[in-house]
Amino acid sequence: MPTANETIERLTSQDYKYGFVTEIEEDSVAPGLNEDIIRLISHKKGEPEWLLDWRLKAYRNWQTMEEPKWSNVTYPPIDYDAVVYYSAPKQIAKRPGSLEEVDPKLLETYERLGIPLRERGALAGVAVDAVFDSVSVATTFKAQLAKLGVIFCSFSEAVRDHPDLVRKYLGSVVPYADNYFAGLNSAVFSDGSFCYVPKGVRCPMELSTYFRINAAQTGQFERTLIIADEGAYVSYLEGCTAPMRDRNQLHAAVVELIALDNAQIKYSTVQNWYPGDKEGRGGIYNFVTKRGKCAGVNSKISWTQVETGSAITWKYPSCILLGDNSIGEFYSVALTNNYQQADTGTKMIHIGRNTRSTIVSKGISAGHGQNTYRGLVQVAKKAEGARNYSQCDSMLIGDQCGAHTFPYIDVRNPSGQVEHEACTSKIGEDQIFYCNQRGISTEDAVSMIVNGFCKQVFRELPMEFAVEAQKLLTVSLEGSVG
Amino acid sequence: MPLLEVKNLHVNVGGTEILKGVDLAVNEGEIHAIMGPNGSGKSTLAQTISGHPAFEVTDGDIVYGGESLLGKKPEERACAGIFLAFQYPVEIPGISNSLFMKSALNAIRRSRGLQELDAFEFLELIKEKANTVEMDEALLSRSVNSGFSGGEKKRNEILQMAVLEPRLGILDETDSGLDIDALRIVADGVNSLRAPHRAMIIVTHYQRLLNYIVPDFVHVLNGGRIVRSGGKELALELEEKGYSWLEEEALARS
């Protein structure tokens, strides 16, 4: 008879579903990083002078920086000169005018990933920008959104068609000198998504970007910039997958959100980059900087993330609560199985008066996974009446994994209220047997217990994706309780 | 044909033989009490019948409804109608008690080809059943057994038994740690589940529970074997003379 351990082993060892490779001719630059490569990327994208200057400044600054060593993850040194910084399907490089001209192989890739790009077959109520390696392949529902004044397009198009907006906000939340990986991204970023929701408009559909790394040895460095003007609302979702490869691949993205007076941005991520195999070979290094600025009064930025993929995850989606009465939220589920490592959390920087923030973090460790929550709650001198509530829970599955918590709290205003709650639990054989004895199978029991643990976060996800996230979690856990 | 037939059952736990040839036959409608001193193998018998993976059957058989249970998973046994009220009910944080029971009931119904109950049908059922064990409805929305008092946990076990309506209910020291009021409530719950098509095995150390739940048969387990079987009077005799009496008798015989 299989024990709970064996069943969970079988469950968590299920194969990564999105590991296929698309055979397509790509136009790649030579590996390595220097000013010429940056000029080449900028030239290929037909960028204006100011943007090239910004990239070069970022690069020169990056050269003076050191890779951060404070995070609770270990990996061999990255050879930044072995990375290919730009890779695009040849045909896309020539900018197809419409979806009909896009290589069917690319469309098929997204179909297989469950992201149809033909609008007729598209997910109802979701507009998608599909990014393949270094470029955006297609953006759906653009015309419909344009009628409301909503700009949703690839970053490259935004640079070309809306340079004023890009120039005004690029780097305004995450400057190129912010940190090592953001600096690298600023120098070599290739594409990404751009969104602007004008005053008073409530964006009627979910906007989403689907990131796909395909080419070997290639790093993906995309930038996302979302601006919600006064009174606007937008809900945005990001999904990611990559083929199975033995070598580690680097993904260093930057996401900047700006919410003006009374605006709201809801940003959800379902991250399922290739996590590496059971022995820890291969997988994506997901080193990402995400930050939102609640610039206006009564504005709100809400991050929700479900992190199940990547060999290493290093990201701290944060909120700068500048406007009075602004609200920041962070809801996170991070799962590490096999040899995955995650060091993730958030920063809530309270600057305005009566600013509020909520942090709910759920870490699940299975196999040899190491899961770290790292968070900062900072209440500045002038942040009269600031309030924070943090809840930070860990679940351990098996006895080879680890959970770690590093909450930093820095309160400089006596009226600030900060609460922190934490608990650690373990799925044990006794719980599994209890469920079994009531007629519930081991798979269902694990899935029920894990989903119960995460429900506070899942209910923050847009409906369609909450279901997907639950399934993803179950699949990612296949093979893990003890 | 008995509902349950335990034949020459030998069970090892962690390499040590705990049961050394147990025979027991239970018919539908009967209540059997298994008594015995600590360490005699009472809980081992209960856990082995329900399929706990730590208990290894080295010889003999357990036949239930005409089929051997050996090689069947615990959930298959549960779906076939075997219910174990745990001596130490397990806490499962994050899952509401009522969702847990609904999942269990529907898993069992699915296995029998019956339609699953929807949220409304289940709510109606659970409220009615909660009444019979005098369970506060607030405990239904709390996480399974989390922060429950000892008495609430045991009552929750009986509630689950009432909801799942097993053919064979096994109560593993359900009386331990209960005060007299809780004992009465638990016993009332069990008595209300007595039915001609349902059998029960009550594992207990003390005679006290048997004042409230009157068994048809009493068996005494000692040293991994059933050393004596009899009617309900046997329990009273044990209460009076203690288990050492049987041990002395066994020594005298050998």
Side-chain angles (χ1 to χ4, degrees):
Chain A
M1 190 191 321
T3 64
N5 267 329
E6 287 161 358
T7 311
I8 286 156
E9 179 59 33
R10 186 169 54 75
L11 270 172
T12 42
S13 58
Q14 242 207 8
D15 286 341
Y16 183 71
K17 242 173 40 177
Y18 308 101
F20 64 91
V21 178
T22 307
E23 293 300 335
I24 196 159
E25 239 188 310
E26 299 219 31
D27 167 26
S28 303
V29 301
L33 185 53
N34 50 54
E35 293 202 3
D36 288 342
I37 288 282
I38 293 166
R39 284 177 210 281
L40 183 63
I41 293 172
S42 187
H43 175 74
K44 276 183 184 289
K45 305 184 77 64
E47 283 176 356
E49 199 60 32
W50 65 264
L51 191 50
L52 175 61
D53 284 348
W54 193 76
R55 285 175 180 277
L56 291 173
K57 268 191 241 161
Y59 175 65
R60 285 165 199 152
N61 183 70
W62 177 75
Q63 286 178 302
T64 68
M65 298 174 95
E66 267 182 44
E67 200 172 318
K69 291 280 178 263
W70 45 261
S71 59
N72 192 25
V73 299
T74 50
Y75 54 92
I78 298 173
D79 180 359
Y80 290 93
D81 279 324
V83 175
V84 174
Y85 288 88
Y86 183 88
S87 188
K90 273 210 168 129
Q91 182 250 0
I92 290 291
K94 285 185 254 149
R95 293 182 193 282
S98 74
L99 213 56
E100 276 60 46
E101 295 170 33
V102 173
D103 189 327
K105 272 191 193 159
L106 282 175
L107 296 180
E108 197 190 307
T109 300
Y110 285 90
E111 291 276 351
R112 277 181 76 179
L113 296 170
I115 315 287
L117 296 178
R118 291 180 184 85
E119 289 186 12
R120 225 174 309 147
L123 302 166
V126 184
V128 180
D129 182 27
V131 177
F132 190 89
D133 289 334
S134 305
V135 290
S136 168
V137 174
T139 310
T140 59
F141 295 109
K142 246 158 81 175
Q144 245 170 290
L145 289 166
K147 279 182 202 152
L148 292 163
V150 175
I151 304 168
F152 180 46
C153 61
S154 72
F155 205 93
S156 315
E157 282 171 86
V159 169
R160 194 181 64 210
D161 302 337
H162 310 281
D164 296 347
L165 280 172
V166 175
R167 207 169 172 175
K168 181 167 174 193
Y169 290 108
L170 176 70
S172 70
V173 186
V174 181
Y176 60 70
D178 189 81
N179 69 72
Y180 190 79
F181 297 110
L184 178 64
N185 172 288
S186 302
V188 300
F189 76 92
S190 44
D191 213 336
S193 300
F194 175 85
C195 170
Y196 171 80
V197 185
K199 270 184 199 173
V201 171
R202 196 183 159 87
C203 185
M205 54 176 80
E206 303 280 341
L207 303 186
S208 83
T209 303
Y210 196 92
F211 294 105
R212 174 77 177 167
I213 296 177
N214 186 60
Q217 271 183 283
T218 299
Q220 193 174 50
F221 305 90
E222 83 279 359
R223 262 191 112 88
T224 300
L225 178 55
I226 298 174
I227 303 137
D229 211 328
E230 292 172 21
Y233 167 87
V234 61
S235 170
Y236 188 92
L237 186 113
E238 171 200 289
C240 343
T241 58
M244 298 197 265
R245 295 188 189 283
D246 294 341
R247 301 269 303 264
N248 295 104
Q249 280 179 286
L250 183 60
H251 172 255
V254 171
V255 175
E256 296 179 279
L257 311 182
I258 297 115
L260 301 182
D261 288 355
N262 303 304
Q264 255 191 62
I265 302 175
K266 185 173 167 60
Y267 193 105
S268 316
T269 304
V270 176
Q271 185 264 107
N272 188 22
W273 293 119
Y274 177 53
D277 68 9
K278 271 171 275 177
E279 276 75 49
R281 276 187 303 259
I284 302 288
Y285 292 161
N286 189 36
F287 298 158
V288 170
T289 306
K290 291 182 168 178
R291 195 172 303 153
K293 183 151 83 180
C294 283
V297 297
N298 305 318
S299 56
K300 177 175 172 183
I301 288 179
S302 178
W303 298 99
T304 306
Q305 61 174 18
V306 177
E307 304 279 322
T308 60
S310 297
I312 301 176
T313 296
W314 180 99
K315 68 182 262 204
Y316 314 90
S318 307
C319 296
I320 300 170
L321 303 169
L322 199 59
D324 290 349
N325 311 316
S326 60
I327 299 174
E329 293 176 338
F330 174 74
Y331 299 94
S332 169
V333 168
L335 180 146
T336 50
N337 194 7
N338 299 322
Y339 286 88
Q340 283 176 277
Q341 309 172 61
D343 191 310
T344 184
T346 184
K347 289 190 270 186
M348 292 292 174
I349 315 293
H350 293 257
I351 299 171
R353 282 173 301 173
N354 301 315
T355 45
R356 279 170 290 158
S357 63
T358 303
I359 299 171
V360 177
S361 163
K362 304 278 182 176
I364 303 163
S365 319
H368 294 82
Q370 295 295 326
N371 210 320
T372 300
Y373 168 81
R374 188 184 302 275
L376 168 67
V377 176
Q378 192 170 57
V379 176
K381 256 190 197 138
K382 289 181 180 164
E384 202 66 38
R387 288 208 309 269
N388 162 268
Y389 170 76
S390 301
Q391 184 188 341
C392 186
D393 298 335
S394 308
M395 178 174 270
L396 300 170
I397 303 179
D399 51 11
Q400 305 289 313
C401 55
H404 317 268
T405 305
F406 301 95
Y408 303 83
I409 296 172
D410 174 12
V411 180
R412 292 164 190 227
N413 182 302
S415 68
Q417 281 183 36
V418 176
E419 283 176 72
H420 184 98
E421 278 182 29
C423 83
T424 301
S425 53
K426 191 170 185 322
I427 299 188
E429 294 264 353
D430 54 340
Q431 287 175 327
I432 300 289
F433 179 66
Y434 193 65
C435 293
N436 287 162
Q437 210 300 308
R438 297 301 183 248
I440 301 167
S441 69
T442 301
E443 287 90 336
D444 290 349
V446 172
S447 160
M448 185 169 77
I449 293 170
V450 170
N451 279 308
F453 179 70
C454 302
K455 68 184 168 203
Q456 251 178 306
V457 173
F458 285 162
R459 68 174 176 226
E460 298 297 325
L461 284 174
M463 181 85 115
E464 305 83 331
F465 299 107
V467 179
E468 281 308 305
Q470 277 195 19
K471 279 193 216 149
L472 184 59
L473 210 59
T474 309
V475 171
S476 303
L477 266 178
E478 300 210 339
S480 67
V481 178
Chain B
M1 187 182 59
L3 176 63
L4 178 78
E5 216 177 346
V6 177
K7 299 176 189 169
N8 186 33
L9 188 67
H10 289 252
V11 174
N12 276 10
V13 182
T16 309
E17 187 169 60
I18 305 290
L19 297 186
K20 302 169 179 172
V22 171
D23 291 284
L24 178 70
V26 177
N27 292 302
E28 286 187 328
E30 292 176 352
I31 293 193
H32 290 242
I34 309 273
M35 301 182 71
N38 287 331
S40 58
K42 303 188 299 285
S43 283
T44 298
L45 180 62
Q47 305 251 31
T48 306
I49 296 172
S50 52
H52 194 292
F55 297 82
E56 186 200 350
V57 176
T58 53
D59 199 5
D61 201 357
I62 308 170
V63 178
Y64 171 81
E67 274 181 60
S68 173
L69 287 180
L70 304 185
K72 284 203 161 83
K73 293 181 190 169
E75 59 268 35
E76 291 169 333
R77 301 178 194 210
C79 290
I82 295 176
F83 180 92
L84 174 68
F86 283 57
Q87 183 177 4
Y88 304 106
V90 178
E91 301 190 2
I92 310 180
I95 299 174
S96 82
N97 208 11
S98 85
L99 173 70
F100 177 70
M101 280 188 254
K102 180 166 169 263
S103 307
L105 179 62
N106 281 336
I108 292 173
R109 289 180 69 93
R110 259 199 317 275
S111 77
R112 297 179 186 165
L114 297 170
Q115 183 120 32
E116 294 183 28
L117 295 191
D118 65 28
F120 299 104
E121 292 164 332
F122 182 75
L123 189 66
E124 207 169 302
L125 175 80
I126 191 81
K127 282 192 168 172
E128 178 207 315
K129 302 285 187 184
N131 242 333
T132 63
V133 289
E134 299 178 38
M135 166 89 95
D136 184 351
E137 280 182 27
L139 292 180
L140 295 176
S141 47
R142 296 240 307 261
S143 291
V144 180
N145 294 323
S146 290
F148 285 28
S149 71
E152 284 168 341
K153 282 182 181 173
K154 296 296 173 80
R155 252 183 285 172
N156 201 29
E157 294 293 293
I158 303 306
L159 172 60
Q160 293 179 45
M161 182 158 85
V163 169
L164 301 179
E165 301 185 321
R167 283 178 76 195
L168 175 65
I170 305 168
L171 280 69
D172 189 4
E173 306 226 10
T174 299
D175 51 336
S176 64
L178 290 188
D179 63 31
I180 202 76
D181 290 331
L183 192 67
R184 185 190 51 76
I185 292 167
V186 164
D188 286 352
V190 171
N191 284 326
S192 72
L193 288 167
R194 280 188 109 139
H197 60 275
R198 179 174 295 133
M200 286 196 237
I201 296 174
I202 294 169
V203 172
T204 182
H205 186 78
Y206 300 105
Q207 192 272 336
R208 158 178 104 130
L209 179 66
L210 304 179
N211 288 333
Y212 298 91
I213 306 171
V214 182
D216 300 300
F217 300 95
V218 175
H219 309 275
V220 181
L221 196 61
N222 199 2
R225 287 187 188 91
I226 289 182
V227 293
R228 183 174 280 225
S229 295
K232 59 177 185 266
E233 348 47 75
L234 179 56
L236 294 168
E237 207 176 339
L238 280 172
E239 181 81 350
E240 205 179 305
K241 299 185 182 171
Y243 290 113
S244 54
W245 153 63
L246 283 167
E247 280 164 27
E248 283 155 19
E249 210 182 61
L251 276 175
R253 262 205 315 263
S254 61

